[in-house]
Amino acid sequence: MKISMFFTLILISSLAFAQSNLSLSGLLKYKDGFIANDITVSLIRFTDSVIVQRQSALKDGEFLFQDVKPDTYIIIFTSLGTQKARLGPVTLNKESLVLDTVFLDRNVEQLKEVSIKGARQLIQKSIDKTTINVENTSLAVGNTALDLLNRAPGLTVLNDGTIQLNGKAGVTVMLDGRLTYLSSSQLATLLRNTNSGQIKSIEIMTHPPVKFDASGGAGLINIILKKNKDLGSNGTITADATLGKFIKANTGISINHRSKQINVFGNYNFADNKRYGILNLDRSVNMPEDLSNISQQSNSTTKNYNHTYKAGLDYDFNKNNTLGLVVAGYKNDQTEIIHSKSAISNSSSDLSGISALNTGKNRYSNTSYNLNYKSVLDTLGQQLDIDLALLNYKNAEKILYENNFFDDYGNPVKMTKIFRNISPTDLKIKAITINYTLPLSKTSTVEVGIKSSLVKTDNDFLVENQLGNEWLKDLAQSNRFLYQERINAAYLNFKKEFSGFDMQLGVRAEHTSTNGNSITMSETFERKYLDLFPVVSFSKKIDKNHTVSLTANRRIDRPSYGSLNPFIYYLDLYTYKRGNPDLKPQYTNSLAFDYLLHQKYGIEIVYSNTKDVISDIIKPDATRGALFTIPDNLAKQNSISLSLSVPISVGKFWNMYNNLSAYHVSFYSNDILGTIYRSDQNAMNFKSYSTFTISEGFNFDVSFFYQSRQLYGTSYLRSFSFVDVGTSYKFFNSRLNLKVSVKDIFNQKTQIMYSNLPNVYYTIYDKPETRLFSFGLSYSFGGKDVKQSRKRPTGIEEEKGRIGGIR
């Protein structure tokens, strides 16, 4: 009841303050009719020439100033290769303004920088995406990329790294435009070791265009890392310390040198991250020996040493042709120690308890090489992009399991069981991507592209049992698995601009050929399939305050490479995971309606239907007396969601952003454990962010998150909530930035999952350390002459994201 009243008050206050927030927006084009998207737009107060806001025009040429106070302004447009343009005076009274299209001249002369002071809003809503600008917020300190995703509107992140958008799994994660669809363990490991200090912003797209790979049925998330745009030599040094049960530390340096033709850049980050967690599991399993109830309590200590690096070079042959080379990678050394005690109810045996110690060591690394070429063929916008990419990934994991058995009095009842898993993995990805843009007229453009990728994996999974001082191979459990996948893709996209109306028609074709070989088990499988993935989008600007769009698309989520491997991976003696070589990809058809009011208040309604939805299902193993998790295909999933985005300003010092996502999700399968499974759930999550400006350069932030109970495949996740607070202060002409924050200040973030399957009973209590105190410093040095930097996406992003297996 209290939570409902809180939501009501927030929404009422949003409406109450909505009319006091004004916006100023417009569209930029060159005089030859083509979109101008490399333009810096400055909003300057007319009376005293104070610069109020600055931003870069979006890819579609639009610019938007939000939360503008009533006054008279001048707008300045500047960029390399464009004449300086001035518009105004423009007067804002009681209503927001949408300006007529601004036409700019092209010019090869370089313009001087306009020095502008201002900050972007924390969250910005546009008709096709939501952007979270985390770069200058205090909540970025001491956090990771995974923490920030947990704070993004509509997103729910489970403790194993699984991401849901509006109640749906199947989210593709991108890093700097590089698409990644991560399995739970790889997602958690990679994003936990991506320091928030490296992140500029996060973009959420529920219906991306066909230029992107078709993976990600629920949508795409793009984590944009910071890029230095300054001329000359410059860089940034960062250092964070976080205190929970253990001390965690992150430090990094980025350097950049830009001249007229050459840009040399590099960065390095080191993370020393030691985490503590509690995982309790109660379950009932019917077995031949009548072992039916197990109550397990465990705690884990995980220590990571992570090194991340990137180095690159861009060379401009001339103003139209650029060649780039990037080498990037990371190396992670992880040690995990798990202590567990299990109480067992068994009427036919004197076994009543197990004490287990699991010690794991995991060393994995990857190195990627990317060569890219960009050519602007004419002044009308004709462009060619070629990208070559190579990734080498290696993983070496070793886990030792020691199990001791006791009776009711604590006496040993049988010999200690000791065994170990050794699982090295070698993976290589090669890809080539070619994109071509052809303007047909001033209002229409065609984009075409092709991509070919080849993936090869080799996973040699070895299980050994200790007998005396010797280790004997368990032939029944060990397995070597080889997998190869080739995807050839092509896309065609057509854009047309009418008077106040935009249309986009696109289709992507992907031909997939896979081959799996379980050498030890003498089992092979081969699949070939061709799919078409259309995207149809219509957008209409009704007037200066109202914009609507309608988008329909089809997308795919392929299984991660490791989840197809049928080996058994033990968590403990009575809990394990296994792959599924029969796992099929899932397909999602969706229809989305978006409405944007005053260029900032957003409503989005999305309906989707997913066939062969991939879900982790927990099943009983009567022979082993255990529970195991296996990825499987449910017949279908239907989902409908409603999202509301409401930013408000409370006076001059308080800016607030509220997001409410309500959704209905249903699952159906014609056979799980021999019965029909059908279940549905109404759920919602609510997020509110507030920024208080105490003085210039001194801010205070508060964020609140609430997730109701939701259905997750064949399990329920109970409701949970948390509150974060933080503050930041800038010194020395804004070069030194101090940030302090507290995550989950009331220590409430606990995730409890329980079964929704008949005759399968389990409850999982998962509580990592979440209340964390963080302190961070960053110092920027070098020149401040701004020049636009290049984006460097590679062609192997979607394949990289599926490296993870069933962990």
Side-chain angles (χ1 to χ4, degrees):
M1 185 64 179
K2 292 182 178 179
I3 292 176
S4 299
M5 292 178 63
F6 177 77
F7 292 156
T8 302
L9 289 174
I10 289 293
L11 293 177
I12 291 175
S13 64
S14 301
L15 296 175
F17 286 96
Q19 297 304 316
S20 64
N21 298 314
L22 302 180
S23 65
L24 183 62
S25 62
L27 177 66
L28 298 178
K29 288 186 177 182
Y30 292 116
K31 288 187 175 180
D32 53 22
F34 291 97
I35 294 298
N37 55 13
D38 293 327
I39 307 298
T40 299
V41 187
S42 308
L43 185 66
I44 302 174
R45 194 158 57 225
F46 179 71
T47 55
D48 54 11
S49 299
V50 171
I51 299 169
V52 179
Q53 293 187 42
R54 177 188 70 176
Q55 61 179 238
S56 297
L58 302 176
K59 291 182 179 180
D60 57 6
E62 292 186 347
F63 63 91
L64 169 65
F65 295 111
Q66 295 181 337
D67 294 328
V68 181
K69 299 183 182 304
D71 209 328
T72 300
Y73 300 92
I74 297 292
I75 305 175
I76 302 294
F77 306 94
T78 58
S79 176
L80 294 174
T82 305
Q83 287 186 347
K84 182 176 180 179
R86 172 189 174 104
L87 180 66
V90 176
T91 301
L92 280 178
N93 293 319
K94 297 181 179 180
E95 294 184 354
S96 298
L97 290 180
V98 178
L99 303 175
D100 293 334
T101 300
V102 179
F103 291 94
L104 304 175
D105 286 322
R106 296 180 183 268
N107 190 350
V108 298
E109 295 181 0
Q110 179 174 326
L111 299 177
K112 296 182 179 180
E113 176 198 6
V114 178
S115 178
I116 300 172
K117 296 181 181 180
R120 289 186 176 182
Q121 282 192 316
L122 176 63
I123 299 177
Q124 293 175 310
K125 175 69 177 176
S126 61
I127 200 68
D128 60 343
K129 65 183 176 182
T130 300
T131 303
I132 302 98
N133 299 302
V134 301
E135 182 175 8
N136 294 316
T137 66
S138 61
L139 293 179
V141 65
N143 288 319
T144 65
L146 195 64
D147 295 324
L148 295 178
L149 290 183
N150 219 347
R151 290 151 180 79
L155 293 181
T156 301
V157 182
L158 303 184
N159 289 337
D160 67 355
T162 301
I163 299 175
Q164 293 183 336
L165 177 58
N166 296 327
K168 285 187 56 186
V171 179
T172 295
V173 176
M174 301 187 292
L175 287 176
D176 250 353
R178 298 176 172 87
L179 299 175
T180 48
Y181 171 65
L182 300 174
S183 64
S184 57
S185 178
Q186 287 299 327
L187 175 69
T189 302
L190 177 62
L191 296 185
R192 281 195 184 106
N193 289 289
T194 301
N195 191 306
S196 59
Q198 307 173 45
I199 297 173
K200 176 183 178 182
S201 61
I202 298 173
E203 296 176 339
I204 303 173
M205 292 175 280
T206 56
H207 33 270
V210 294
K211 187 174 183 178
F212 293 107
D213 292 65
S215 65
L220 296 181
I221 299 171
N222 186 19
I223 301 174
I224 301 175
L225 304 180
K226 293 180 180 178
K227 297 182 178 69
N228 201 312
K229 302 178 182 180
D230 298 339
L231 290 169
S233 298
N234 41 67
T236 302
I237 299 174
T238 62
D240 296 341
T242 299
L243 177 63
K245 187 176 180 65
F246 304 107
I247 296 177
K248 310 163 199 351
N250 292 276
T251 186
I253 183 172
S254 64
I255 54 176
N256 191 86
H257 176 77
R258 283 182 180 270
S259 62
K260 184 177 181 180
Q261 284 188 290
I262 297 178
N263 176 37
V264 181
F265 59 92
N267 62 61
Y268 168 77
N269 286 274
F270 171 73
D272 181 355
N273 191 338
K274 189 175 182 180
R275 307 189 312 274
Y276 178 80
I278 297 174
L279 182 66
N280 297 333
L281 176 59
D282 293 325
R283 57 261 178 100
S284 297
V285 183
N286 296 320
M287 303 188 324
E289 297 180 358
D290 194 31
L291 180 62
S292 56
N293 296 300
I294 302 176
S295 179
Q296 181 185 70
Q297 295 183 334
S298 64
N299 63 78
S300 64
T301 301
T302 306
K303 189 172 183 62
N304 283 282
Y305 293 107
N306 184 268
H307 305 264
T308 306
Y309 60 89
K310 179 189 288 186
L313 169 70
D314 287 333
Y315 181 76
D316 297 328
F317 295 99
N318 50 51
K319 65 178 181 178
N320 294 329
N321 295 277
T322 302
L323 181 68
L325 174 65
V326 180
V327 179
Y330 65 89
K331 179 180 178 182
N332 185 78
D333 290 309
Q334 176 179 292
T335 302
E336 184 174 39
I337 300 175
I338 302 175
H339 296 269
S340 67
K341 291 184 178 181
S342 300
I344 301 173
S345 299
N346 186 348
S347 59
S348 62
S349 171
D350 58 355
L351 178 64
S352 64
I354 300 176
S355 176
L357 174 63
N358 301 339
T359 303
K361 292 185 177 181
N362 186 5
R363 173 174 292 182
Y364 65 88
S365 62
N366 79 28
T367 305
S368 63
Y369 307 89
N370 172 247
L371 182 67
N372 54 82
Y373 174 72
K374 175 182 178 181
S375 178
V376 179
L377 302 179
D378 55 31
T379 60
L380 301 179
Q382 191 177 187
Q383 182 173 310
L384 177 68
D385 293 275
I386 302 175
D387 186 280
L388 302 174
L390 171 66
L391 171 71
N392 294 319
Y393 173 91
K394 293 184 179 296
N395 178 39
E397 185 176 45
K398 182 177 180 180
I399 304 178
L400 178 67
Y401 303 85
E402 181 178 340
N403 297 274
N404 298 282
F405 308 92
F406 302 94
D407 60 18
D408 290 336
Y409 303 100
N411 301 313
V413 295
K414 58 180 180 178
M415 184 179 297
T416 299
K417 181 176 179 58
I418 300 176
F419 63 99
R420 66 186 182 187
N421 289 346
I422 302 174
S423 53
T425 300
D426 188 11
L427 184 145
K428 297 182 184 298
I429 302 176
K430 300 176 182 179
I432 179 171
T433 305
I434 301 176
N435 296 315
Y436 173 65
T437 302
L438 175 64
L440 300 178
S441 68
K442 294 182 179 181
T443 59
S444 61
T445 303
V446 169
E447 297 173 320
V448 296
I450 59 174
K451 176 183 176 181
S452 180
S453 65
L454 176 64
V455 178
K456 293 183 178 181
T457 70
D458 185 349
N459 180 222
D460 192 1
F461 190 79
L462 174 65
V463 179
E464 294 180 325
N465 297 305
Q466 188 180 54
L467 185 61
N469 295 324
E470 296 185 1
W471 289 97
L472 302 179
K473 183 178 181 179
D474 189 333
L475 298 178
Q477 304 293 339
S478 302
N479 180 47
R480 186 181 182 190
F481 182 71
L482 304 179
Y483 180 79
Q484 179 173 303
E485 176 184 275
R486 179 181 292 277
I487 300 177
N488 294 317
Y491 75 88
L492 173 65
N493 193 47
F494 174 72
K495 298 179 181 179
K496 177 68 175 178
E497 299 177 15
F498 301 92
S499 178
F501 177 79
D502 294 333
M503 177 184 69
Q504 186 170 185
L505 305 175
V507 63
R508 185 180 184 91
E510 295 188 350
H511 181 269
T512 306
S513 176
T514 65
N515 181 278
N517 183 5
S518 179
I519 295 177
T520 306
M521 303 173 67
S522 299
E523 295 180 357
T524 62
F525 65 86
E526 184 176 356
R527 298 190 187 117
K528 295 182 180 181
Y529 49 94
L530 173 66
D531 294 303
L532 296 179
F533 302 99
V535 176
V536 180
S537 179
F538 301 94
S539 177
K540 171 68 175 177
K541 186 167 289 186
I542 299 174
D543 56 32
K544 61 184 179 181
N545 295 325
H546 305 274
T547 304
V548 296
S549 72
L550 186 66
T551 304
N553 64 9
R554 182 173 189 256
R555 301 187 66 78
I556 186 174
D557 290 290
R558 298 180 179 89
S560 61
Y561 309 127
S563 63
L564 297 168
N565 192 339
F567 66 77
I568 291 178
Y569 181 92
Y570 280 96
L571 301 178
D572 58 59
L573 197 60
Y574 293 109
T575 312
Y576 65 89
K577 298 182 179 182
R578 60 172 298 178
N580 182 2
D582 297 324
L583 198 61
K584 297 180 292 186
Q586 69 178 31
Y587 296 89
T588 300
N589 298 303
S590 65
L591 180 66
F593 170 79
D594 288 87
Y595 168 67
L596 198 59
L597 173 65
H598 296 302
Q599 300 300 309
K600 59 179 178 179
Y601 304 104
I603 297 176
E604 182 178 57
I605 302 174
V606 180
Y607 170 78
S608 67
N609 173 269
T610 302
K611 177 184 176 184
D612 294 325
V613 57
I614 299 174
S615 179
D616 287 335
I617 300 176
I618 300 177
K619 298 181 178 181
D621 184 340
T623 302
R624 299 174 183 269
L627 287 177
F628 69 96
T629 301
I630 183 171
D632 207 347
N633 293 108
L634 303 181
K636 64 180 181 180
Q637 175 189 7
N638 290 320
S639 172
I640 184 168
S641 64
L642 170 66
S643 298
L644 302 176
S645 301
V646 185
I648 60 176
S649 292
V650 186
K652 298 180 179 180
F653 68 97
W654 183 5
N655 288 307
M656 179 188 296
Y657 183 92
N658 305 297
N659 177 264
L660 175 65
S661 296
Y663 43 89
H664 177 85
V665 180
S666 63
F667 293 89
Y668 172 80
S669 180
N670 53 16
D671 183 14
I672 296 182
L673 301 177
T675 62
I676 295 176
Y677 175 76
R678 181 183 286 111
S679 188
D680 63 330
Q681 172 74 40
N682 294 317
M684 56 87 75
N685 67 55
F686 177 79
K687 298 186 179 183
S688 180
Y689 309 84
S690 291
T691 300
F692 302 88
T693 303
I694 310 303
S695 62
E696 184 177 355
F698 185 20
N699 296 318
F700 181 75
D701 300 317
V702 179
S703 68
F704 169 76
F705 173 77
Y706 171 77
Q707 171 68 58
S708 72
R709 188 185 79 153
Q710 65 172 332
L711 181 63
Y712 180 59
T714 59
S715 303
Y716 278 111
L717 178 66
R718 289 185 183 173
S719 62
F720 63 93
S721 63
F722 59 87
V723 177
D724 298 336
V725 298
T727 185
S728 65
Y729 189 73
K730 294 181 179 181
F731 304 86
F732 302 121
N733 196 27
S734 297
R735 289 184 177 269
L736 183 63
N737 194 357
L738 167 67
K739 301 177 182 179
V740 180
S741 69
V742 183
K743 290 195 300 182
D744 191 14
I745 189 170
F746 301 113
N747 201 27
Q748 292 180 317
K749 189 183 175 185
T750 302
Q751 293 181 356
I752 301 175
M753 187 170 288
Y754 57 96
S755 174
N756 190 41
L757 286 175
N759 301 318
V760 178
Y761 306 101
Y762 59 82
T763 300
I764 303 172
Y765 174 92
D766 190 358
K767 176 58 179 172
E769 56 172 324
T770 57
R771 181 159 57 187
L772 301 171
F773 301 84
S774 299
F775 173 88
L777 281 172
S778 64
Y779 178 73
S780 300
F781 57 90
K784 289 293 181 181
D785 294 323
V786 176
K787 179 180 180 180
Q788 186 69 33
S789 65
R790 289 184 64 219
K791 293 185 177 180
R792 306 173 182 86
T794 71
I796 58 175
E797 298 82 14
E798 194 270 339
E799 292 80 6
K800 286 171 62 177
R802 293 165 54 221
I803 287 174
I806 61 174
R807 289 201 64 196

